[in-house]
Structure formats: structure tokens, C-alpha cells
Amino acid sequence: MSDAVRPSALTLVDFRARPVRQPLTQRSRGQRALQLSIAAGDLAIVSIATTLAAAGRTRLTVFDETTGVNVIALSIGGYVVLGWMLMNVLVGSYDRSALGVGTTEYARICSSAAVTASLMGITSYLTKFPLSRGFFVLLFALAVPALVAWRYAGRQLVHSAHSKGHLLTRVLISGDPQHVDDVAKVLSRESWLGYQIVGALLPHGHRAGITGSGIPVVGRVAETAEAVGRHLADVVVFAEGSFATPADFRHVAWDLEGRDVQMVVVPSLSDISAERVTMRPVGGLPLVLVEQPQSLGASRGLKRAFDIVGTLSVLVLALPIMAALAVAIRLEDGGPVLFRQTRVGRDGRLFECLKFRSMVVDAEARLAEIRHLNRSVEGVLFKLTDDPRVTRVGKLIRRLSLDELPQLFNVLRGDMSLVGPRPALPSEVHRYDPDVRRRLHVRPGLTGLWQVSGRSDLSWEDTVRLDLYYVDNWSIVQDVAILLRTVHAVLASRGAY
């Protein structure tokens, strides 16, 4: 072979080092099946909504349209379905990162619908196409709620499967032992996410064995690619302490290229919502811009207006129920209907919190007798699963959180908000650490993250963490999401006693 055609050793090394795409893992095949299932459901919903809108648009008598418009609506139905599904793909509503967690999935569904509606309207106007207004209104009135409900139902099924040990994601956590344990604590606590921790990867210089939380050390950070292969990991989480230099991370990323594994980097930030974080690359550095905490925004006019409108709307439906409960409480033991208790509001102001009485009349006097039964290890809160002071009616209204309905009047008076931290007793506030006092920067809430995350089942540490997260990351969208989740939490009755 002549020198002109003889391959050099360098050429052979470069060729052999080229990453080769590995076959999909079982988890990735399951993810793709999930994405296809969701897309198929979206397609069915949009198709059915289009058909129903075309057939039922004559029911909307507010629009004076000719019969021939119905034929036109049916003729463009296929294009509407195709365009809407294409828009779902373009806005990323089927991306793996958006499915199953957070509000991004719902936001993208609504964005896709809004863009589709805009394009239909603009196209009809520019081309002078006689699009039926009844068809247009019915299409989106039917499809959008159905799509959101479908995504919610699918998410609940996946979360249920995760909680039962199915469809799990195998995770390796990289970093120094303390940060590995911190990440593992979060992933283990949120079992519905479906993360199964299979091992830890420690930097050079740390001993093998197990971490403080009992996670086996399966290798060094530099051996990440080999550990992924041995343990069939789907995700590698890189916590703080994983790399001494940026070059170390690049080398590990190069080793993982072509493998069916996700890389997740945990920044040295915690309890910050995605809405406050923006990534901006500058000179090759991925700068993370973090907006200031939102406690001031949670105390201003927009939230107050939201509270008033929402409370008046709920009261219209709740007043008959409240009247019936008042009669039942009065008939049981002849005592007062309402229980009034001093609570601490925004900026430490005291107010009289109203609740339907769910205990015997002398419940406060009998508290000392049963304080030794307190389930709260920290002792800040008083928790008792089977409190002997609770009446028969009280057990029912507590299980469904109906005892808190009178607090709607506290919201109207401005003492409370529909959504916020748990209203605290003065005795509890006296025991607060300085950081915990930050939860008093906003009005306490009728419901909140503590309500939709377990209520009395939560530890004091978790209650504080959720309240501080809410204070720092407040938004109207989050308030609406919490109110919707409250309905499910109340019906499930988890942590209600």
C-alpha cells in the first residue's frame, strides 16, 4: 500500500473514538410509548371536538349563519386537526422534559390552542374565507378543556404507577457525599416522580462504601460512562462537588455521548421556581439569571383583587352548605357554631380566625391533658390523629376541610388570602427562627402548598419549606394551580385530622 493511501495511526484512533449511538433502554422505550399515547389522545380529542363543533354550531343562535356554512366547517375539519397537531409539536408539548411535572405541559397546550385560533382567524380574514363563528367558538370551547383534562388524567396515571414502583427511572447521583444525600432526599421524598436511585458517584479522594443516607458508592465521577452501562442508568444527576474544573465535565459528557442517558446538573440553588430563572449564555458561560423574591408582589393589588373575586364566587356556591353545617353543629351539642381563634397575619398582625367548631366546647381547656400525645416531633405544631375532643360532625367536616369555610369571610376582610402560608398561632410564632418569620411577609391562606402536599402528614420542616417557597415564588398562575390541586387534596382526605 502506498503512503498516499495508507491510513495514519491518528486517523484510526479518531475513527475508533467516534461515539456510537447505543440502543434505547427500556425506560426510553416506555417514554416514547408515553409520548405517542399522549399524542394519540390529543389527536382523538381534537378530531372529536372538530366534528362536534361542525355538527353543533347551529345550536349557537347568537350567530346568524346560513346552513351552507356547516358544509364549509366540515370541509376544513381535517386541515384544522392537522394544523393543531402540528402546532402541538412546534411548541414542544410532547417534549419529555415537559411531560408529567409542573405547569409547563398545560401552558404549552394552551399556547398551541391560542396560536391555532389566531392563525385560523387571520387566515380567514386575509382570504375572506366564510369560517363559521359558531364552529370556531365551539371548537376551542370543547377541545381546550378536554385536552387539559386528558393531560391531567394521564399524569395521574403515571404518578400512580411511579408510586407503586412501575415505570421507574434509574438514577445515578454524582457529587460530594453531602450533596448526593441532599439530592437523594428530595428524589426519595417525591416518590411520584418515579426516580429510583441506584448508586452514587464520588469525586477522587472520597472513600468507597455508602453515603450517609445509605446510597451505595458505585464508582468515581470519572467512571460515569462505565457506571451507566453497569447499572443501566437512565439519568445521571450531577450535584455540587462533581467536578474540579469545567474540563472534567466536558470529558464526562463526551464519554456519555451516544448513550441513551440524560444528564441533569443541579445548580447550587434551591426552592426557586422556573419562572424566576432565565438561562443566558455569555462568552461560553451559561449564566443563570434569578429574579428577586416575589413576597412584595404577593401583597399587592392584583392578588387582593383575585382574592375578592374568587371568594365571592365560592361563597355563592358555599352558603347553602355552610347553613346546613351550622344547623348540624348546633343540633349535636347545643354549643356555638363558630370557633374563633387568634392567629398571626401578615407582618405579625393578630386577627380572629373563623372556623366551624369541630371540637367539644371546652377543647382548649382539655389540651393540656393530651399534649403528651402530640405526633409532631419538633413540637412547634400540635398533631393528633384521633383527637378525642373532635365531635362526630367535626370528624366529617375536618375530613373534607369544610370547617375552614368561614375563613372566606376572613379573606373578604383582608385578614387572609385564598392561597398562602398556613395561619400560625401566636405561640408558634414565638418559637420561629429568623428565617421562618419570612412566611409572615404575606397574608396566610385558606389553602396553600402545605394543604395540597399532605396537610397534617407533613413534618414541620416540610411545612416551612413549602411556605417559604410560596412566599419567594408567588404568581397568579401558581395560585390558580394550588386552588385546583386543593379540590383533589380535599377529596382524597390525605393528612386531614
Side-chain angles (χ1 to χ4, degrees), residues 132-193:
S132 166
R133 289 169 293 172
F135 169 77
F136 183 88
V137 171
L138 275 175
L139 172 62
F140 293 98
L142 293 172
V144 174
L147 287 171
V148 172
W150 156 240
R151 293 299 185 95
Y152 176 80
R155 177 178 291 193
Q156 296 308 305
L157 289 174
V158 172
H159 290 176
S160 176
H162 288 164
S163 299
K164 295 176 181 178
H166 305 302
L167 302 177
L168 299 180
T169 299
R170 297 175 63 84
V171 179
L172 289 173
I173 307 177
S174 169
D176 62 50
Q178 180 59 51
H179 288 97
V180 167
D181 287 340
D182 289 343
V183 173
K185 179 181 178 181
V186 174
L187 298 185
S188 300
R189 181 180 64 220
E190 309 293 343
S191 60
W192 55 272
L193 290 172

Side-chain angles (χ1 to χ4, degrees), residues 189-361:
R189 181 180 64 220
E190 309 293 343
S191 60
W192 55 272
L193 290 172
Y195 289 116
Q196 178 184 12
I197 302 171
V198 297
L201 300 167
L202 303 185
H204 182 72
H206 290 274
R207 293 182 300 174
I210 60 174
T211 67
S213 59
I215 302 173
V217 178
V218 298
R220 303 299 176 194
V221 176
E223 305 164 346
T224 299
E226 292 81 357
V228 167
R230 289 197 310 270
H231 296 277
L232 302 177
D234 304 299
V235 175
V236 180
V237 177
F238 296 105
E240 195 170 348
S242 296
F243 307 104
T245 67
D248 294 338
F249 177 72
R250 288 201 301 270
H251 294 155
V252 171
W254 291 341
D255 291 341
L256 293 176
E257 187 178 5
R259 295 177 179 269
D260 186 36
V261 61
Q262 285 184 316
M263 296 189 300
V264 178
V265 177
V266 180
S268 55
L269 303 170
S270 62
D271 292 330
I272 295 178
S273 67
E275 289 77 13
R276 289 176 56 201
V277 177
T278 304
M279 184 74 71
R280 178 179 296 175
V282 176
L285 294 176
L287 301 184
V288 178
L289 307 182
V290 182
E291 295 183 6
Q292 294 183 1
Q294 301 298 307
S295 63
L296 291 177
S299 304
R300 291 178 177 165
L302 179 60
K303 182 172 174 62
R304 182 64 184 143
F306 176 81
D307 286 339
I308 293 174
V309 173
T311 300
L312 291 175
S313 301
V314 173
L315 275 175
V316 171
L317 301 175
L319 282 176
I321 299 175
M322 295 173 67
L325 291 177
V327 172
I329 294 170
R330 188 73 173 179
L331 290 177
E332 182 172 10
D333 58 10
V337 171
L338 294 178
F339 174 69
R340 304 170 187 268
Q341 189 175 48
T342 300
R343 298 282 177 133
V344 182
R346 187 179 67 178
D347 299 328
R349 289 193 292 268
L350 302 180
F351 71 96
E352 191 177 62
C353 184
L354 303 177
K355 298 179 70 174
F356 278 130
R357 183 174 58 85
S358 60
M359 292 186 175
V360 294
V361 177

Side-chain angles (χ1 to χ4, degrees), residues 376-381 383 422 424 428-429 431-433 436 439 456-467:
S376 176
V377 177
E378 303 87 350
V380 180
L381 304 178
K383 300 179 181 180
R422 174 188 166 275
E428 297 169 2
V429 174
R431 304 178 65 178
Y432 280 2
D433 294 330
V436 181
R439 69 203 296 264
S456 294
D457 284 342
L458 294 174
S459 66
W460 169 244
E461 179 185 355
D462 285 337
T463 300
V464 170
R465 177 182 58 83
L466 291 171
D467 282 346

